[in-house]
Amino acid sequence: ESLTCTLELPPKLAGRGIHPTFHVSRLRPHEPNDDTMFPHRDVNVFYNFGDDPYREHLVDDIRAHQWKGNAVLFLVQWADGDTTWEDWSNVRDLEALDRYFEILGVTDWRALP
């Protein structure tokens, strides 16, 4: 007798890498919503699994750079307003980097002051 159960997950969850096999001790019977105990509860609200790790984030601009030894970091202005320091490998293919280089009059990261 198997102590595991494999569920058929919706494609959105399966695509996020959620493992569909669980130990039976982790499973519980479904309890329908009791409107008398919990009136106005929205039963169609699903668990938030957080940000999709494969979601692309939009870059507005590169604001600055700084050298850390032989490595260069770039201050990235994201479309949502956040700014983060990112290394060369994360920004090398961005159009914003091309614009930044043009403003500084360089064509290669090694030529940055």
Side-chain angles (χ1 to χ4, degrees):
E1 180 177 324
S2 176
L3 294 177
T4 62
C5 182
T6 301
L7 304 176
E8 185 177 331
L9 296 177
K12 185 173 183 178
L13 294 181
R16 297 278 303 275
I18 308 277
H19 190 59
T21 303
F22 300 88
H23 190 273
V24 293
S25 67
R26 305 297 295 167
L27 301 176
R28 301 286 181 264
H30 170 71
E31 297 284 340
N33 187 50
D34 183 343
D35 287 330
T36 57
M37 289 183 67
F38 304 103
H40 311 295
R41 176 183 276 178
D42 187 354
V43 295
N44 292 319
V45 174
F46 299 102
Y47 182 78
N48 179 4
F49 286 96
D51 287 337
D52 183 348
Y54 303 107
R55 182 177 147 221
E56 291 187 14
H57 298 275
L58 300 177
V59 172
D60 271 349
D61 204 5
I62 294 183
R63 313 293 287 164
H65 71 277
Q66 66 179 4
W67 286 94
K68 293 283 186 180
N70 291 334
V72 64
L73 298 174
F74 296 89
L75 185 60
V76 174
Q77 174 79 48
W78 299 96
D80 66 3
D82 288 343
T83 56
T84 58
W85 287 98
E86 301 290 336
D87 63 33
W88 167 250
S89 64
N90 291 337
V91 301
R92 66 179 173 211
D93 296 324
L94 296 176
E95 288 179 22
L97 183 66
D98 296 336
R99 292 191 305 267
Y100 186 71
F101 281 0
E102 185 178 341
I103 290 168
L104 294 179
V106 299
T107 56
D108 188 79
W109 65 273
R110 293 175 208 80
L112 290 168

